Amino acid sequence: MILPIVIYGSPTLRGESVEIETGEVDLEVVKLAGDMFDTMYAADGVGLAAPQVGHNIRLFVVDLSAWADDEQELANFKRIFINPEIYECSEEESHYNEGCLSLPGINEDVLRPVSIRMRYLDERFVPHDEEFTGRPARVIQHEYDHLEGKVFTDRLTPLRRSLLKRKLEGFAKGRFKASYRTR
Ligand code: NI
Protein backbone atom coordinates (compact mmCIF):
# COMPACT_ATOMS: atom_id res chain seq x y z
CA MET A 1 0.00 0.00 0.00
CA ILE A 2 1.36 3.40 -1.01
CA LEU A 3 1.40 5.90 1.85
CA PRO A 4 1.57 9.71 1.62
CA ILE A 5 5.04 11.11 2.33
CA VAL A 6 5.54 13.67 5.10
CA ILE A 7 7.05 16.94 3.84
CA TYR A 8 9.64 19.19 5.50
CA GLY A 9 8.05 21.49 8.04
CA SER A 10 6.07 18.71 9.74
CA PRO A 11 7.00 18.08 13.40
CA THR A 12 7.05 14.34 12.61
CA LEU A 13 10.36 14.81 10.79
CA ARG A 14 11.82 16.53 13.87
CA GLY A 15 10.51 14.11 16.47
CA GLU A 16 12.59 11.53 18.27
CA SER A 17 11.94 8.00 17.02
CA VAL A 18 11.57 5.25 19.60
CA GLU A 19 12.98 1.72 19.57
CA ILE A 20 10.74 -1.09 18.37
CA GLU A 21 9.99 -3.81 20.95
CA THR A 22 12.03 -6.84 20.02
CA GLY A 23 10.51 -9.74 21.96
CA GLU A 24 9.15 -11.38 18.83
CA VAL A 25 8.69 -10.59 15.16
CA ASP A 26 6.16 -7.79 14.96
CA LEU A 27 3.89 -8.35 11.96
CA GLU A 28 2.70 -4.74 12.02
CA VAL A 29 6.29 -3.59 11.62
CA VAL A 30 6.86 -6.07 8.77
CA LYS A 31 3.66 -4.84 7.07
CA LEU A 32 4.70 -1.22 7.50
CA ALA A 33 8.13 -1.99 6.00
CA GLY A 34 6.38 -3.54 2.97
CA ASP A 35 4.22 -0.43 2.59
CA MET A 36 7.34 1.73 2.87
CA PHE A 37 8.97 -0.16 -0.02
CA ASP A 38 5.78 0.35 -2.12
CA THR A 39 5.79 4.05 -1.24
CA MET A 40 9.50 4.45 -1.98
CA TYR A 41 9.30 2.71 -5.38
CA ALA A 42 6.27 4.79 -6.40
CA ALA A 43 8.32 7.92 -5.68
CA ASP A 44 11.55 6.61 -7.31
CA GLY A 45 13.45 6.70 -4.03
CA VAL A 46 16.28 4.44 -2.81
CA GLY A 47 15.64 4.82 0.92
CA LEU A 48 12.75 5.73 3.20
CA ALA A 49 12.54 6.13 6.98
CA ALA A 50 9.43 5.51 9.11
CA PRO A 51 9.07 9.19 10.22
CA GLN A 52 8.65 10.05 6.52
CA VAL A 53 5.37 8.12 6.53
CA GLY A 54 4.29 9.45 9.92
CA HIS A 55 5.70 6.88 12.37
CA ASN A 56 8.33 7.94 14.88
CA ILE A 57 9.83 4.47 15.26
CA ARG A 58 13.36 3.26 14.54
CA LEU A 59 12.85 1.63 11.15
CA PHE A 60 14.06 2.39 7.64
CA VAL A 61 14.21 0.58 4.31
CA VAL A 62 16.79 0.78 1.52
CA ASP A 63 16.87 -0.65 -2.01
CA LEU A 64 19.87 0.25 -4.15
CA SER A 65 19.17 -2.15 -7.02
CA ALA A 66 18.29 0.82 -9.26
CA TRP A 67 22.01 1.68 -9.17
CA ALA A 68 23.16 -1.80 -10.24
CA ASP A 69 23.97 -0.54 -13.75
CA ASP A 70 27.05 1.29 -12.53
CA GLU A 71 27.74 -0.79 -9.42
CA GLN A 72 26.88 -4.45 -9.86
CA GLU A 73 27.17 -5.44 -6.17
CA LEU A 74 24.15 -3.24 -5.45
CA ALA A 75 21.81 -5.44 -7.52
CA ASN A 76 20.66 -7.32 -4.41
CA PHE A 77 20.96 -4.54 -1.85
CA LYS A 78 17.38 -4.52 -0.58
CA ARG A 79 17.22 -4.29 3.21
CA ILE A 80 15.04 -3.53 6.21
CA PHE A 81 16.82 -1.97 9.19
CA ILE A 82 15.17 -2.12 12.62
CA ASN A 83 16.59 -0.37 15.73
CA PRO A 84 19.83 0.56 13.94
CA GLU A 85 22.72 1.95 15.94
CA ILE A 86 25.72 3.48 14.15
CA TYR A 87 28.60 3.11 16.61
CA GLU A 88 31.66 3.81 14.49
CA CYS A 89 32.41 6.16 11.60
CA SER A 90 35.52 6.41 9.41
CA GLU A 91 37.65 9.53 9.70
CA GLU A 92 37.68 9.74 5.93
CA GLU A 93 34.75 11.78 4.64
CA SER A 94 33.42 12.54 1.19
CA HIS A 95 30.85 14.73 -0.53
CA TYR A 96 27.89 13.19 -2.30
CA ASN A 97 24.88 14.82 -3.92
CA GLU A 98 21.81 13.96 -1.83
CA GLY A 99 18.10 14.46 -2.19
CA CYS A 100 15.16 13.46 -0.01
CA LEU A 101 11.54 12.56 -0.76
CA SER A 102 10.53 14.85 2.14
CA LEU A 103 12.31 17.82 0.51
CA PRO A 104 11.30 17.55 -3.14
CA GLY A 105 13.32 19.70 -5.53
CA ILE A 106 16.40 20.13 -3.32
CA ASN A 107 19.70 18.39 -4.11
CA GLU A 108 22.91 19.34 -2.32
CA ASP A 109 26.39 17.94 -1.77
CA VAL A 110 26.65 16.63 1.78
CA LEU A 111 29.84 15.73 3.64
CA ARG A 112 29.70 12.43 5.55
CA PRO A 113 32.00 9.59 6.68
CA VAL A 114 32.82 7.11 3.90
CA SER A 115 32.32 4.02 6.12
CA ILE A 116 30.28 3.17 9.20
CA ARG A 117 29.74 0.24 11.53
CA MET A 118 26.16 -0.41 12.60
CA ARG A 119 24.18 -2.84 14.73
CA TYR A 120 20.59 -3.50 13.65
CA LEU A 121 17.86 -6.14 13.38
CA ASP A 122 16.66 -7.45 10.01
CA GLU A 123 13.04 -8.21 9.04
CA ARG A 124 13.21 -11.48 10.99
CA PHE A 125 14.44 -9.52 14.03
CA VAL A 126 17.83 -11.25 13.73
CA PRO A 127 20.67 -9.05 15.04
CA HIS A 128 23.55 -7.99 12.75
CA ASP A 129 26.77 -6.06 13.24
CA GLU A 130 28.04 -4.91 9.89
CA GLU A 131 30.34 -2.46 8.15
CA PHE A 132 28.99 -0.42 5.24
CA THR A 133 31.03 1.67 2.85
CA GLY A 134 30.47 3.81 -0.24
CA ARG A 135 26.93 4.33 -1.45
CA PRO A 136 25.24 1.93 1.01
CA ALA A 137 26.93 3.81 3.89
CA ARG A 138 25.77 7.09 2.36
CA VAL A 139 22.10 6.12 2.07
CA ILE A 140 22.07 4.43 5.48
CA GLN A 141 23.46 7.56 7.17
CA HIS A 142 20.86 9.71 5.41
CA GLU A 143 17.99 7.45 6.58
CA TYR A 144 19.49 7.10 10.07
CA ASP A 145 19.43 10.91 10.39
CA HIS A 146 15.64 10.80 9.91
CA LEU A 147 15.36 8.61 13.04
CA GLU A 148 17.33 11.28 14.94
CA GLY A 149 14.99 14.05 13.79
CA LYS A 150 17.52 15.39 11.28
CA VAL A 151 17.37 16.02 7.54
CA PHE A 152 20.27 16.39 5.11
CA THR A 153 20.02 20.16 4.83
CA ASP A 154 20.92 20.38 8.56
CA ARG A 155 24.40 19.19 7.55
CA LEU A 156 25.07 21.97 5.03
CA THR A 157 27.22 25.01 5.77
CA PRO A 158 25.32 28.03 7.19
CA LEU A 159 25.87 29.79 3.85
CA ARG A 160 24.32 26.96 1.79
CA ARG A 161 21.44 26.74 4.26
CA SER A 162 20.75 30.45 4.08
CA LEU A 163 20.65 30.22 0.27
CA LEU A 164 17.95 27.54 0.64
CA LYS A 165 15.99 29.44 3.30
CA ARG A 166 13.13 30.54 1.06
CA LYS A 167 12.72 27.09 -0.45
CA LEU A 168 12.73 25.46 2.99
CA GLU A 169 10.18 27.92 4.33
CA GLY A 170 8.07 27.36 1.22
CA PHE A 171 7.50 23.67 2.06
CA ALA A 172 5.28 24.49 5.03
CA LYS A 173 3.25 26.81 2.77
CA GLY A 174 2.78 24.10 0.16
CA ARG A 175 5.17 25.72 -2.31
CA PHE A 176 6.72 22.59 -3.84
CA LYS A 177 6.08 20.09 -6.60
CA ALA A 178 6.11 16.34 -6.09
CA SER A 179 5.04 13.56 -8.43
CA TYR A 180 3.86 11.45 -5.46
CA ARG A 181 1.28 11.75 -2.65
CA THR A 182 2.37 13.99 0.21
CA ARG A 183 0.97 15.18 3.52
NI1 NI B 1 15.45 11.57 3.33
Side-chain angles (χ1 to χ4, degrees):
M1 186 171 74
I2 295 171
L3 307 168
I5 293 177
V6 175
I7 295 296
Y8 184 93
S10 161
T12 310
L13 292 180
R14 294 306 192 182
E16 201 184 312
S17 289
V18 299
E19 293 233 330
I20 292 167
E21 296 238 14
T22 55
E24 55 192 272
V25 172
D26 184 332
L27 291 179
E28 268 181 54
V29 169
V30 175
K31 164 83 166 74
L32 176 62
D35 288 345
M36 285 168 61
F37 276 119
D38 293 344
T39 303
M40 183 182 93
Y41 296 140
D44 286 326
V46 293
L48 192 69
Q52 293 182 276
V53 290
H55 296 277
N56 283 114
I57 56 172
R58 296 187 72 81
L59 161 71
F60 61 81
V61 301
V62 173
D63 187 345
L64 305 183
S65 56
W67 291 344
D69 277 353
D70 41 280
E71 203 174 331
Q72 242 235 290
E73 308 87 86
L74 300 180
N76 299 313
F77 199 101
K78 178 180 176 178
R79 310 276 197 94
I80 294 171
F81 297 97
I82 295 166
N83 295 349
E85 184 204 347
I86 294 176
Y87 67 92
E88 210 175 284
C89 295
S90 64
E91 276 179 30
E92 189 191 356
E93 295 184 313
S94 67
H95 280 98
Y96 192 90
N97 197 258
E98 295 188 24
C100 180
L101 296 175
S102 294
L103 291 86
I106 295 185
N107 289 277
E108 291 287 330
D109 287 342
V110 182
L111 186 66
R112 295 187 193 268
V114 172
S115 305
I116 55 159
R117 285 202 72 91
M118 187 171 80
R119 286 185 273 268
Y120 66 95
L121 306 177
D122 66 18
E123 64 277 13
R124 289 186 211 87
F125 285 56
V126 174
H128 295 265
D129 185 338
E130 204 175 337
E131 182 173 353
F132 297 95
T133 192
R135 287 200 275 188
R138 170 63 55 165
V139 176
I140 284 169
Q141 288 177 82
H142 175 116
E143 300 314 327
Y144 189 89
D145 270 358
H146 281 299
L147 307 187
E148 306 285 303
K150 291 194 195 111
V151 296
F152 76 101
T153 48
D154 300 343
R155 297 191 174 274
L156 302 175
T157 61
L159 174 64
R160 286 304 309 167
R161 260 208 316 278
S162 70
L163 292 172
L164 288 171
K165 195 165 176 264
R166 278 176 59 119
K167 257 191 179 174
L168 292 173
E169 286 172 356
F171 284 124
K173 296 170 187 140
R175 285 203 302 261
F176 63 92
K177 274 196 201 110
S179 57
Y180 40 86
R181 263 175 78 210
T182 60
R183 58 183 253 198

